[in-house]
Amino acid sequence: MTDYSKYSFWLETSGDDLTPRPALQHSVDVDVVVLGAGYTGLWTAYYLLKANPDLKVAVVEKEIVGFGASGRNGGWCSSKFPVTPGMLERRYGQAAARVLMLAMNDSVDEVERVCAGESIDAQFHKGGILTLARGEHHLPMLRSAFDAYCRLGLSQQYRLCGAPEAQERVRVTNVCGALYASENASIHPGRLVRGLAQAFEKRGGVIYERTEVTNFEGGSSPRLLTPAGEVHARHAIVLAGESYLTRLAKLHRAVLPVYSLITLTEPLTPAQWEQIGWQNRESLASCNYTVDYLTRTADGRILFGSRGAPYRLGSKISDEQDRHAETHARIQQLVLEWFPMLKGVKFTHAWGGPVGMPRDWMPMTEFNPATKIATARGYTGQGVSTTNLTGRILAELILGKRTTFSQLPIAQRYSPAWEREPLRWLAVRYMQNAFFRIDDAGKRGKPKPVDAAFAEFLGRH
Ligand SMILES: Cc1cc2nc3c(=O)[nH]c(=O)nc-3n(C[C@H](O)[C@H](O)[C@H](O)COP(=O)(O)OP(=O)(O)OC[C@H]3O[C@@H](n4cnc5c(N)ncnc54)[C@H](O)[C@@H]3O)c2cc1C
């Protein structure tokens, strides 16, 4: 039997023994069936039952609840959307961008409300986000993000801080300034996803674990196909498998699995915390293209996440990529570069997982009443609170409701497919390499590489 606690510190400490629930044994009929027991699938299923307790809703999961990104992430429950405010403004206009940003704020609060209402001890802590400029070259990025938030009328929740204020909050090397964003929390991802599953079951929902969906059909007889039988759904099938959806032939090019990896320190001593500061437990990031995200955990460890594990031809997903030794070693090095006072600290955990990147960077949430197929996916690295929003939208769309949520720019939209291989591999490996070179040049105070503008244009979102 698989030891699921090995997949992340969060699953290991979820307060649950992770024994799989029974698998599907034979074909069944329900009202709505969901593929995937991560946040997207569970939020959708939860809100469906909350709105209509008489519905029969089932979730089918290949492994166990929280096996995917939902049980492995960095713990940021943030109002940050996968697409930057500037890009949202350009694509949808100021009014729509602002409404979406406010809906993201509300999703952070909604996660807290549900945790309180359902007694889920997800260690919700609203400490905000501090995005650090580590070098002068990062300052224009902070200024441009701040200006975009101001244009959307959100200046009251963002503040540009000078180096002294940033350093007072947290002692990180080479900090020249920061952007503070108040409407963000950190959570224990494993407790959230496992608790959400229990809340869904308390309302009468059923979860089949260790049951792989091998195909799906929409139309007059919508259903999920598994080796043990079919799950027929009267109203809708919901495809909520994020990056793992690429394993289904029909969705192979729907998103791009990009690996994000994490290392975790041992719990730090009070003396070490005294040196570091970070008393408000803000989520921390830099402006690097290779992405750095940090969380001070409730039990006093530093979680440091970053990208770097190379994209594999054919969108391959495997356990071996979660443990890409070179990337984990680089992240450990980064911990010491950011916090030199931690020389000699022990790293107790290392894991990772794929995030699903859509071709146009924008998550999609869609229900087609003709095919009865619903899906939400493509959060890149910003899915903890975004899935709460998409779950609420999908539930509304499936139930035929029309509210402000289903009018948001992420509702009823479809992202284009990624290019075929080997073009996909060539382009993604080029971008991964270019982002490393741009960050490295910035760190060394050198001019950007000659192809930087091209890479930045391609990666603009
Ligand atoms: C390392 C890492 C760090 C991250 N950090 C953050 C963060 O700090 N903040 C943030 O907002 N976001 C973060 N993210 C992204 C966020 O975790 C995800 O966007 C979010 O969890 C997606 O939820 P989901 O339910 O759509 O997908 P998942 O959680 O991946 O769930 C999909 C589920 O579907 C199941 N499944 C797939 N295919 C099948 C099939 N054929 N049959 C049956 N079951 C199937 C999978 O086993 C899986 O359990 C991070 C992601 C990773 C990997």
Side-chain angles (χ1 to χ4, degrees), residues 34-43 60-78 80 189 193 208 210-215 224-226 239-248 258-262 283 293 295 303 305-306 351-356 376-387 390:
V34 178
L35 174 160
Y39 300 138
T40 301
L42 291 169
W43 283 124
V60 183
E61 165 58 50
K62 179 171 182 285
E63 303 290 345
I64 61 163
V65 167
F67 172 82
S70 303
R72 308 182 190 200
N73 60 72
W76 288 37
C77 179
S78 91
K80 213 165 166 221
V193 70
Y208 301 102
R210 306 216 14 128
T211 305
E212 179 172 11
V213 174
T214 51
N215 201 351
L224 297 183
L225 282 66
T226 83
L239 305 173
E242 186 63 340
S243 46
Y244 303 90
L245 288 175
T246 55
R247 288 173 164 169
L248 294 171
V258 173
Y259 271 79
S260 196
L261 266 58
I262 287 174
S283 303
Y293 54 96
T295 297
L303 174 154
S306 188
W351 72 92
V355 302
R377 59 180 184 248
Y379 311 101
T380 312
Q382 307 290 341
V384 174
S385 45
T386 317
T387 50
T390 59

Side-chain angles (χ1 to χ4, degrees), residues 8-204:
S8 73
F9 170 75
W10 303 125
L11 286 176
E12 183 189 311
T13 58
S14 63
D16 200 331
D17 75 0
L18 309 180
T19 303
R21 293 165 171 85
L24 184 77
Q25 301 293 338
H26 49 76
S27 295
V28 291
D29 291 338
V30 295
D31 293 312
V32 179
V33 62
V34 178
L35 174 160
Y39 300 138
T40 301
L42 291 169
W43 283 124
T44 308
Y46 171 82
Y47 286 113
L48 282 167
L49 284 187
K50 195 171 173 203
N52 183 350
D54 296 331
L55 283 178
K56 260 179 101 174
V57 183
V59 176
V60 183
E61 165 58 50
K62 179 171 182 285
E63 303 290 345
I64 61 163
V65 167
F67 172 82
S70 303
R72 308 182 190 200
N73 60 72
W76 288 37
C77 179
S78 91
S79 61
K80 213 165 166 221
F81 190 71
V83 176
T84 59
M87 181 56 89
L88 285 175
E89 200 184 354
R90 278 192 290 279
R91 283 191 194 173
Y92 304 105
Q94 262 182 19
R98 178 180 156 81
V99 175
L100 182 53
M101 291 288 98
L102 293 176
M104 288 298 294
N105 285 351
D106 179 62
S107 296
V108 176
D109 295 337
E110 172 69 1
V111 172
E112 185 178 26
R113 281 192 293 268
V114 175
C115 286
E118 301 288 350
S119 304
I120 301 171
D121 177 18
Q123 300 175 348
F124 187 98
H125 169 77
K126 204 165 186 180
I129 295 180
L130 203 57
T131 306
L132 304 171
R134 294 195 70 241
E136 299 281 334
H137 62 295
H138 283 163
L139 286 172
M141 297 187 210
L142 291 187
R143 164 55 67 185
S144 143
F146 179 69
D147 289 347
Y149 287 121
C150 290
R151 285 196 301 277
L152 299 183
L154 299 169
S155 58
Q156 75 289 354
Q157 66 187 70
Y158 295 90
R159 199 173 68 252
L160 280 174
C161 319
E165 186 187 343
Q167 288 286 354
E168 198 183 304
R169 284 175 178 267
V170 55
R171 256 80 73 197
V172 172
T173 53
N174 299 333
V175 169
C176 308
L179 177 63
Y180 176 72
S182 60
E183 298 309 298
N184 298 281
S186 67
I187 47 122
H188 185 304
R191 286 170 180 251
L192 177 61
V193 70
R194 306 286 301 177
L196 197 53
Q198 285 162 12
F200 164 66
E201 287 173 318
K202 268 191 237 150
R203 289 173 185 267

